[in-house]
Amino acid sequence: MPTNIRLTSVMASKTDYQLASLAAGFTLGFGFLTVWEAIKQTRRNRNPTRSAYIYMVWGEIVANLAIGIIGWLFLDGVLGPTYVPRCRLCEPDANNSIGSQCCSLSSFSGSSKSSC
C-alpha cells in the first residue's frame, strides 16, 4: 500500500455543471411540493411535537438540503476531495511476526495507543 499518495484537484467541466443544474432543478421542483406537503401534514397533526413521523419528514428535508449544498460547494471548488488512509491491517514487520503491526479496534476510535 503506497504511503505517498498525492491528490490532484480536478475542475468541474461545463457538462458537470449542466447535469448538476438539471438535478438541482428537479430537486427544487419536487422539493417545493414535498415541503408544501410536509407543512400541510405538520399542521394536520394533532400533536406534531410528539410525532416521530413529523421529525423524520423534516429531518429528511434538512438532510437533503445539506447534501445539495455540500455537492454544490464541491462542484464550485470550495470543498475539495478528501482522502483518509486506511490502517495497515496485520502486515508482517521485519521479523515476519504478524502481530506487531496489527491495528486494533481502538485505532479507529482515536486512541493514541494504536500502532497505526
Side-chain angles (χ1 to χ4, degrees):
M1 188 169 174
T3 58
N4 55 354
I5 295 176
R6 272 184 70 196
L7 294 177
T8 57
S9 180
V10 178
M11 299 299 292
S13 68
K14 182 180 177 182
T15 307
D16 292 334
Y17 276 107
Q18 289 173 341
L19 182 62
S21 297
L22 182 68
F26 277 111
T27 301
L28 288 175
F30 286 112
F32 177 75
L33 296 174
T34 304
V35 169
W36 181 251
E37 187 64 29
I39 290 170
K40 290 192 309 186
Q41 287 182 0
T42 303
R43 287 183 182 168
R44 251 190 330 235
N45 198 319
R46 275 185 286 170
N47 197 354
T49 58
R50 295 187 67 198
S51 173
Y53 172 75
I54 297 297
Y55 282 112
M56 287 191 295
V57 166
W58 286 104
E60 185 68 26
I61 290 170
V62 169
N64 286 334
L65 182 64
I67 287 289
I69 291 170
I70 290 170
W72 196 262
L73 290 175
F74 180 76
L75 278 178
D76 228 13
V78 175
L79 298 177
T82 59
Y83 172 74
V84 178
R86 290 188 344 200
C87 195
R88 293 177 296 166
L89 296 176
C90 297
E91 292 182 4
D93 62 358
N95 299 329
N96 285 334
S97 68
I98 295 233
S100 64
Q101 293 294 323
C102 287
C103 295
S104 64
L105 290 177
S106 63
S107 66
F108 296 106
S109 63
S111 173
S112 61
K113 294 180 182 178
S114 172
S115 64
C116 299

